Amino acid sequence: MALVVICVCTLGGAGAGVVWLAPMTRVSQIVVRQVSDGTSSGGSGGAATRGLDQANRRAIDRAAESALGQPLVEVDTQAIESRVVALGRYRKVVVDRGWPDAIRIAVLPRVPVLAVAAPGRQADLLDESATAYERVQKEPTDLPVAHL
């Protein structure tokens, strides 16, 4: 019986070592995808695609780049999630591990329903919760605009 316990512990320890030390389990990719909540609340099709353009994708990559090269089991997914949420453009963010070597990030973009503009200033985009999340140079033509 003792021999069985020693063998199981040895094999378990070796398996854990593989998970932590093997190059194949170090983060080598960041996979980002935009998800939809299935509703269409305001804005146009163009507004919905603002969520994950090239600039936004680069910002998400920067928020997660500290994970690259780390053992996947040691990556602080909550810290990455907090950094992506802090970008302000996403209503919901979920970060998880994609074995053997990926961090997966799913984002639900905020959808603009109103723009607020003051004379001579840029316009702020607001989502359905009245959260101002993005400032744009010109008033959008596909949204109602409130002038202050």
Side-chain angles (χ1 to χ4, degrees):
M1 179 68 171
L3 183 58
V4 170
V5 170
I6 290 171
C7 288
V8 168
C9 289
T10 301
L11 291 174
V18 166
V19 169
W20 260 276
L21 300 174
M24 67 186 157
T25 61
R26 292 188 177 275
V27 177
S28 65
Q29 59 181 323
I30 298 167
V31 179
V32 180
R33 68 185 175 94
Q34 179 174 313
V35 297
S36 170
D37 64 356
T39 64
S40 58
S41 57
S44 69
T49 60
R50 288 183 188 143
L52 199 54
D53 60 16
Q54 187 176 4
N56 290 335
R57 172 58 202 249
R58 280 194 306 267
I60 293 171
D61 286 343
R62 281 192 303 273
E65 71 186 358
S66 63
L68 290 172
Q70 286 189 21
L72 190 58
V73 295
E74 291 181 8
V75 173
D76 185 348
T77 57
Q78 288 182 328
I80 294 171
E81 190 171 306
S82 294
R83 289 191 297 269
V84 175
V85 166
L87 297 172
R89 296 173 185 252
Y90 305 102
R91 214 169 42 154
K92 183 170 183 175
V93 176
V94 176
V95 177
D96 65 359
R97 293 171 180 86
W99 292 96
D101 66 345
I103 291 296
R104 297 184 303 210
I105 303 171
V107 294
L108 176 62
R110 294 183 185 276
V111 177
V113 296
L114 177 70
V116 177
R121 292 189 45 209
Q122 300 163 328
D124 290 323
L125 300 181
L126 279 66
D127 68 4
E128 69 278 357
S129 67
T131 300
Y133 67 93
E134 182 178 354
R135 184 160 284 162
V136 294
Q137 296 296 321
K138 295 170 45 176
E139 292 180 11
T141 59
D142 59 343
L143 295 173
V145 179
H147 294 276
L148 300 177

